[in-house]
Amino acid sequence: MIRLLLACSLLLALALHAAPRGIEPDDYYRFTFVADPQLAPNGRQVAFVHSTIADDKRSRHSNLWLVATDGKSEPRQLTFSDGDRSPRWSPDGRQLAFISGRGEGQQVHLLPMAGGEARAITALKQAGLRDFSWSPDGTQLLLTLAVDPAVDDPTAAKTNSDEPKADVVVIRHALYKSDGGGYLNERRSGLWLLDIATQQLTRLTGDARWHDHSAQFSPDGKQIVFASDRSSDALEGSMQQDLFVMDLSSGSVSRLDTLPGQASAPLWSPDGRELLYRHQADYFEPEHLVIHRLSDGHNRRIANDWDRSASTLHWPERGRILMGADHLGSRPLFELNLRRDRTSIRLSERGSAGSFSFAANGKALSYLWQDEQQLPEVWFQDGNKAPRQLTRFNQELLSELKLQPLQSFWFEHEQGQSQGFLLKPVGWQTGQSYPLILNIKGGPGGMWGHQWFHEFQMMAAAGYAVVFTNYRGSTGYGYAHQNAVHADYGGVDYRDNIAVLEHVLQQHDWLDSSRLYLTGGSHGGFLTNWITTQTDRFKAAVTQRSVSNWLSEAGTQQYPPNSMRREFAGTIWQNFELYWGRSPLKYADRVQTPTLIIHSTEDHITPIGQGEEWFYALKANEVPVEMVVFKGEGHSLSRNGTPINLVERLKRILEWFERHSD
């Protein structure tokens, strides 16, 4: 009996300490997602959004949670409606405003932090709630609402006529549809002021000819700044955008004399005397940070030593500005010393930090941090003290998994160097050979690297090595690198992907050059198609939400003619040879690679017709091909699509490669 008990104990111990396994597609259902951390004004607590996958695998439960910054207690759940988001502290920290879908539509709710139930303080019936912020004295909220300009009272119920109406959409502007939204209606973004005590809603701006957005109270609460394109081409896709300041006592609006082009993301200085904004003279021109002095309208470029594009801006205290940005595969927080006009990395040189929120003193901050082996979690830093992790929702799951680190390297191309990343397969052993997947990022803007991306890890768990590059066109490497792809789709972006493939094959003899696979989505889907017209070296390809024909893409996507004119240095009629000459469809008769096409019916960035044209072309040329169509999904299926569809997509990719492994 004693021997039996000892044997059972040994088996239990072995089970509890089983070797970590590779991640599988169904593990997605166990992920906990955290987002939008908001640090209380006193710096002692962080409110954030906590999301999990619902049991039906078709929806997500989203609630607000709270965690103390001293790290001495576990996070606790604040709300339970399963549809809450966007927590925002009142200036005194006594209340938390948030958006919730409980009740009738999306409304702003108010939760007293001393105890009590949340209550709705808006009753919107004919408006979409885009954004909100507190006034400095805590008595008002500044709302950004999407409202039909003909509607005077967005809280009034819409009157329905008994007269039948045709099912018709009238399109007058170049900006007429959006991914996830379909055909656009007459609603325009405008600014409204909500008195919290009386719940009275007052219109500040709104016009049928333009959208007003990015609004912020001045530090004294007497003014607001906002961005708007009020040119005649505002709904035609112009690159013009100005900043405006409204005096709340008089209602007068003044346009600021910012630099010509697009001014965006306005941010008040702590003393309210200046405004910081992002400026871009034109679509393929470098972006700059500019400070506008309100007293005389002077514009001063800052961060002149910084060759990056700011994704977020923060001005927590006088003398320094903080910027989040893509940088060499990571997303650090940069600090700009205004006195010296010098930038340095303040936080997270390796890995990705984001969603920053500051305490009232401007020194303490909360944020999300992630890398390729860690899902985003909430972190806190007080001044220059060591950062502290506050949440560990995914620790139990991650302890079961074998997750691979990325190996970073640089490779040569005709204009210099680009960065590549290699992920070894799970269970890699010396002397063994392994298949390789070239996975191509979308964009061409944006960047991959030290961020959580379960797709890579699932491929590695299935026995594949994975290689990718932030090819020319990507952000995070300076403007010359980012803009090199201008009017050259299928050029430098294609050559960089082939170069990174050749580099790793030369450097690592354990990679089997006879077992190469190819996939990519969006611009990466276009490049997947393009590559299979140029070579037959890949055993199989999976092209996702791709472009196959730039001629039809130009006329059916959500982007207006002005956008395509910039990207291709002219219209279809001015530069036909470039549009058609860089369309994979033109060369589809050269393709031999077995191809799986993944597309979605509600994709308005790369519409479903792009996948259908590619399917037709490969069928016509007798190439082994299948097309998987996800009904009701948009362009972002791989990121935030219906969970069961998102997981099915992952399974289909792995199955297609496995099917063509012989």
Side-chain angles (χ1 to χ4, degrees):
M1 178 64 72
I2 294 175
R3 290 181 178 179
L4 179 61
L5 290 173
L6 289 173
C8 290
S9 298
L10 180 60
L11 289 173
L12 179 61
L14 290 173
L16 291 174
H17 295 86
R21 61 175 175 83
I23 192 170
E24 300 173 354
D26 282 340
D27 286 321
Y28 180 85
Y29 298 128
R30 298 176 60 190
F31 294 164
T32 295
F33 303 92
V34 295
D36 203 4
Q38 295 293 313
L39 184 59
N42 61 13
R44 296 175 183 171
Q45 295 176 306
V46 180
F48 60 93
V49 180
H50 172 284
S51 299
T52 55
I53 308 301
D55 290 341
D56 65 2
K57 299 181 180 179
R58 292 191 171 277
S59 57
R60 295 172 174 86
H61 294 322
S62 174
N63 293 292
L64 305 187
W65 284 55
L66 193 69
V67 63
T69 57
D70 61 10
K72 297 179 180 179
S73 58
E74 293 297 314
R76 65 183 178 90
Q77 190 169 347
L78 273 181
T79 67
F80 296 84
S81 81
D82 292 338
D84 302 330
R85 60 184 176 90
S86 303
R88 298 293 182 267
W89 293 94
S90 62
D92 61 9
R94 296 179 179 178
Q95 302 180 90
L96 194 68
F98 62 95
I99 298 174
S100 178
R102 65 184 77 179
E104 296 186 21
Q106 298 284 309
Q107 308 292 344
V108 179
H109 287 66
L110 205 58
L111 178 67
M113 297 307 292
E117 295 293 326
R119 62 184 176 90
I121 57 173
T122 61
L124 302 170
K125 292 183 173 63
Q126 296 189 69
L129 181 56
R130 297 284 177 83
D131 194 13
F132 75 94
S133 59
W134 286 87
S135 63
D137 64 5
T139 64
Q140 297 173 309
L141 292 181
L142 178 60
L143 308 180
T144 303
L145 302 180
V147 183
D148 189 321
V151 173
D152 294 323
D153 182 5
T155 66
K158 187 176 182 180
T159 57
N160 294 316
S161 172
D162 294 333
E163 185 70 22
K165 294 183 179 180
D167 300 319
V168 62
V169 176
V170 179
I171 297 170
R172 299 185 178 90
H173 306 291
L175 298 174
Y176 69 92
K177 65 178 178 178
S178 69
D179 192 64
Y183 291 112
L184 301 178
N185 53 35
E186 294 302 313
R187 288 185 174 185
R188 303 287 182 263
S189 294
L191 309 181
W192 297 70
L193 205 58
L194 176 71
D195 184 281
I196 295 175
T198 65
Q199 296 185 23
Q200 180 179 349
L201 197 59
T202 303
R203 185 199 296 266
L204 299 179
T205 72
D207 195 286
R209 296 169 292 176
W210 55 68
H211 296 275
D212 299 328
H213 55 91
S214 306
Q216 285 194 349
F217 280 103
S218 61
D220 62 9
K222 296 179 180 180
Q223 298 174 301
I224 60 171
V225 64
F226 61 94
S228 183
D229 178 0
R230 297 190 171 183
S231 69
S232 59
D233 290 333
L235 301 177
E236 305 299 326
S238 79
M239 264 296 292
Q240 177 65 35
Q241 185 166 272
D242 295 306
L243 303 183
F244 297 82
V245 169
M246 171 181 280
D247 181 85
L248 291 175
S249 62
S250 66
S252 63
V253 177
S254 303
R255 184 182 68 82
L256 301 182
D257 188 18
T258 54
L259 298 178
Q262 186 176 77
S264 61
L267 187 66
W268 293 94
S269 63
D271 60 11
R273 296 178 181 179
E274 297 174 311
L275 283 165
L276 171 68
Y277 65 94
R278 294 161 53 180
H279 172 259
Q280 195 172 14
D282 206 348
Y283 192 76
F284 282 96
E285 291 295 321
E287 182 184 278
H288 298 283
L289 299 181
V290 181
I291 290 179
H292 178 88
R293 192 164 56 212
L294 292 166
S295 61
D296 59 5
H298 176 69
N299 293 286
R300 172 169 59 98
R301 285 183 179 173
I302 60 172
N304 291 297
D305 66 331
W306 197 57
D307 190 19
R308 295 293 182 267
S309 298
S311 56
T312 58
L313 293 172
H314 311 273
W315 203 340
E317 58 182 349
R318 189 174 182 83
R320 68 188 183 108
I321 289 171
L322 301 173
M323 307 92 71
D326 290 350
H327 177 67
L328 306 183
S330 292
R331 292 194 177 102
L333 179 65
F334 289 86
E335 180 172 312
L336 170 66
N337 183 314
L338 282 174
R339 185 171 299 175
R340 299 180 179 179
D341 197 36
R342 295 290 299 274
T343 57
S344 59
I345 292 178
R346 153 75 188 272
L347 189 69
S348 192
E349 188 165 2
R350 186 193 181 281
S352 295
S355 300
F356 304 101
S357 175
F358 292 84
N361 64 10
K363 299 183 184 300
L365 74 153
S366 63
Y367 58 97
L368 298 180
W369 188 87
Q370 60 179 303
D371 69 4
E372 66 270 25
Q373 296 174 288
Q374 174 66 63
L375 279 87
E377 298 282 1
V378 179
W379 287 65
F380 170 76
Q381 185 180 39
D382 188 2
N384 293 321
K385 297 179 181 178
R388 179 184 301 138
Q389 185 174 351
L390 301 182
T391 67
R392 291 176 171 82
F393 289 110
N394 295 285
Q395 185 171 355
E396 181 180 352
L397 172 60
L398 295 181
S399 68
E400 302 174 14
L401 303 176
K402 175 63 175 176
L403 301 172
Q404 300 292 78
L406 285 172
Q407 298 180 8
S408 170
F409 59 89
W410 294 83
F411 63 94
E412 302 289 335
H413 55 68
E414 74 275 9
Q415 292 181 328
Q417 290 186 322
S418 286
Q419 189 178 22
F421 296 87
L422 179 66
L423 199 70
K424 283 186 175 181
V426 172
W428 181 90
Q429 295 182 357
T430 302
Q432 299 292 318
S433 65
Y434 296 90
L436 174 66
I437 297 174
L438 173 60
N439 200 332
I440 306 178
K441 61 173 279 296
M447 179 201 70
W448 279 351
H450 299 296
Q451 304 93 38
W452 176 253
F453 194 27
H454 52 275
E455 180 175 309
F456 290 156
Q457 298 289 351
M458 291 177 188
M459 291 173 175
Y464 299 92
V466 182
V467 66
F468 66 89
T469 177
N470 292 316
Y471 52 82
R472 279 171 285 178
S474 305
T475 53
Y477 300 85
Y479 295 112
H481 182 93
Q482 183 177 341
N483 295 340
V485 76
H486 182 209
D488 194 25
Y489 290 173
V492 297
D493 46 359
Y494 159 70
R495 294 196 296 276
D496 282 2
N497 277 282
I498 296 301
V500 76
L501 177 69
E502 297 290 2
H503 178 88
V504 294
L505 290 175
Q506 291 173 6
Q507 295 294 316
H508 303 284
D509 58 7
W510 53 269
L511 291 171
D512 187 346
S513 61
S514 69
R515 292 189 290 164
L516 301 179
Y517 298 87
L518 175 66
T519 189
S522 195
H523 194 79
F526 153 69
L527 285 170
T528 297
N529 296 343
W530 182 257
I531 288 172
T532 60
T533 70
Q534 308 297 307
T535 179
D536 62 357
R537 68 191 302 183
F538 294 93
K539 290 181 69 67
V542 180
T543 181
Q544 308 167 57
R545 58 193 184 280
S546 71
V547 172
S548 59
N549 180 356
W550 287 112
L551 296 174
S552 56
E553 167 73 2
T556 57
Q557 64 176 339
Q558 71 176 35
Y559 300 110
N562 281 343
S563 293
M564 296 302 291
R565 183 182 294 113
R566 297 184 192 106
E567 292 188 55
F568 281 81
T571 66
I572 294 171
W573 300 272
Q574 295 166 332
N575 212 350
F576 177 86
E577 290 304 322
L578 181 60
Y579 281 86
W580 182 235
R582 297 299 173 90
S583 293
L585 195 66
K586 180 178 180 180
Y587 309 102
D589 58 344
R590 302 178 182 176
V591 178
Q592 299 181 39
T593 307
T595 300
L596 175 66
I597 300 167
I598 295 178
H599 230 100
S600 300
T601 60
E602 301 307 308
D603 189 337
H604 294 293
I605 294 178
T606 55
I608 184 67
Q610 293 299 311
E612 292 171 338
E613 287 190 59
W614 196 235
F615 178 77
Y616 176 91
L618 299 192
K619 270 292 183 184
N621 288 285
E622 300 181 345
V623 178
V625 61
E626 286 184 9
M627 182 163 63
V628 176
V629 176
F630 287 91
K631 297 179 181 179
E633 298 289 354
H635 196 70
S636 60
L637 166 64
S638 63
R639 296 179 290 276
N640 53 26
T642 304
I644 195 169
N645 292 338
L646 186 153
V647 171
E648 180 66 17
R649 166 189 163 270
L650 293 168
K651 292 179 178 179
R652 295 275 178 171
I653 295 171
L654 294 176
E655 190 279 330
W656 186 258
F657 289 155
E658 178 62 24
R659 194 191 308 181
H660 295 88
S661 60
D662 296 331

